[in-house]
Amino acid sequence: MANRTVKDANSVHGTNPQYLVEKIIRTRIYDSRYWKEECFALSAELLVDKAMALRSIGGVYGGNIKPTPFLCLVLKMLQIQPEKDIIIEFIKQDEFKYVRALGAFYLRLVYSSLDCYKYLEPLLNDYRKLRFMDRSGQYQLSHMDEFIDLLLREERFCDIIMPRIQKRWVHEANNELDGRVSLLEDDLDDLESESDEEEMPLPPPRPRNDASDPTRPTPREERHGRGHSPSRRSPQRDTRNEREREKRHRSRSRSRERERGMERDRGMDRDRGMERDRMDHGRGMERERMDYGRGMDRDRMDHGRGMERDRMEHGRGMEKERMDYGRGMERDRMDHGRGMDRERGMDRERGMDRDRGMERERKRHRSRSRERRHRSRSRSPGHHPHHHRERGRGDHRHPERLERDHGKERNRERDRDRDRGDRKEKHHRSGRSKRENMSREDLEIAEANALRAKLGMPPLQP
């Protein structure tokens, strides 16, 4: 929140004012101690006190890129965006030179080229000394006019890219600015006039193509006797003519020099623009080549990653298929073994039921044969009545005893069958638990041994 631009701030050159400072330098400023301690909650009024306390100008310095207080205050001004009148008062400040430098730097960043030429060119007459901190953290001696000249000419100053401004001769051609007149020209004129008064210089040789001297008499004057006569001409008039001729020559030479300078500036600006266009075109081509190369490398990497991913997925699928196939085979073997065990158990139960039925039939057959023998004895002839009575009495008691004996015998047989069935069931369960505890190889060996036993072959050794 403390690093945001104010809500009512206007966009500068089509963007956020703080974005005029590069992101890496802006981040370094946000992380600096001076920004956190001195620039927090600064307003336009409090900013004046911080600007008056400045002792140097500069951008960033040191190996870890520390920003100078001058650069921190520039970013703070971009953040709060003070009014134009305050910036002009900063520039008009004569007592505090670093306040003037701060205002000039902010004006160069934010305002138009016309305002820059209008308000910054008068500062070229300020020759006060300034301390400039370079990248190594050392102070260098500079002057205010050098500082303003670098602001108007350089594309990057104090580690900030300066917005491009229109050339001065364009404004002069559009009648927006007058021709710049240096203050040194009047001083040079005064010096030349003093030197002319002290010693009269000889007139310069007249070029062959120049116009004729107006002071030279014409042929008509020579015919009428008013020619060049040293006796009739006064020395004061000759001196005045020489001075006027010298002044006209100087004014012409100055205008020619100014025109040549403007032509030279236009040619240099044109050459610089063409060179800049070539450099921009070359950088654009190089950037396009780098982007194309990066895109190709990215495509190759993506293709290689896709191929590797496909191989890994194919390998995982094959491994899963192998595992599923192995599990299916193991499940089939276990189901086959369980089915075999179930069939063997059912065969044993059927055999036990068959044995119980045969035993039951034998018991019935024995009881019937006993009854038959008893009836045949009771019907045999020559039987004494008393003996028959006794036998009848004995026969009367014998069926109950016989029935009791038969019941006891049946109970014993039932208990014996139950015990035999329990023993077989225990044996069957123990065999099943042993088979379950046996491994797959043991099961296979057991099945093979069972088949070999049926075929009459010796068993396999585990």
Side-chain angles (χ1 to χ4, degrees), residues 185 188-189 192 196 204 242-260:
E185 291 186 1
L188 291 174
D189 293 339
E192 289 176 358
D196 291 339
E242 291 293 336
R243 287 180 181 176
E244 290 177 356
R245 192 182 304 114
E246 186 67 25
K247 284 184 180 178
R248 284 195 296 271
H249 179 70
R250 274 199 214 107
S251 63
R252 290 195 198 100
S253 62
R254 285 175 188 168
S255 62
R256 290 195 198 98
E257 288 294 332
R258 190 178 295 111
E259 290 176 358
R260 287 172 190 161

Side-chain angles (χ1 to χ4, degrees), residues 213-224 226-227:
D213 191 0
T215 61
R216 184 177 179 180
T218 60
R220 184 177 180 181
E221 290 176 351
E222 290 179 356
R223 282 195 303 269
H224 288 283
R226 290 180 297 170

Side-chain angles (χ1 to χ4, degrees), residues 374 376-397:
H374 177 66
S376 63
R377 286 176 188 169
S378 60
R379 292 175 185 172
S380 62
H383 191 268
H384 197 272
H386 180 70
H387 182 70
H388 177 70
R389 194 183 303 120
E390 291 179 359
R391 290 289 299 270
R393 193 184 302 162
D395 289 340
H396 177 72
R397 290 193 302 270

Side-chain angles (χ1 to χ4, degrees), residues 301-313:
M301 291 175 66
D302 293 339
H303 181 69
R305 287 174 188 156
M307 293 290 291
E308 187 67 22
R309 195 181 300 112
D310 293 339
R311 290 194 201 98
M312 291 176 66
E313 291 178 356

Side-chain angles (χ1 to χ4, degrees), residues 331-352 425 428-429 431-433 435-436 443 447 454:
R331 196 179 299 110
D332 293 339
R333 291 193 195 100
M334 291 177 68
D335 293 339
H336 180 69
R338 287 172 188 158
M340 294 290 291
D341 294 338
R342 196 179 298 111
E343 290 178 359
R344 292 192 193 106
M346 292 176 67
D347 291 339
R348 287 195 203 94
E349 290 176 359
R350 290 193 197 99
M352 290 171 65
E425 185 67 25
H428 179 65
R429 288 177 183 173
R432 184 183 301 172
S433 62
R435 280 190 300 274
E436 289 177 356
L443 288 173
E447 292 176 2
K454 289 180 181 180

Side-chain angles (χ1 to χ4, degrees), residues 26 79 139 163 198 220 222 290 303 317 321 339 377 422:
R26 191 167 69 247
Q79 181 183 358
Y139 287 111
E198 292 177 357
R220 184 177 180 181
E222 290 179 356
M290 291 176 66
H303 181 69
E321 289 180 1
R377 286 176 188 169
D422 293 338

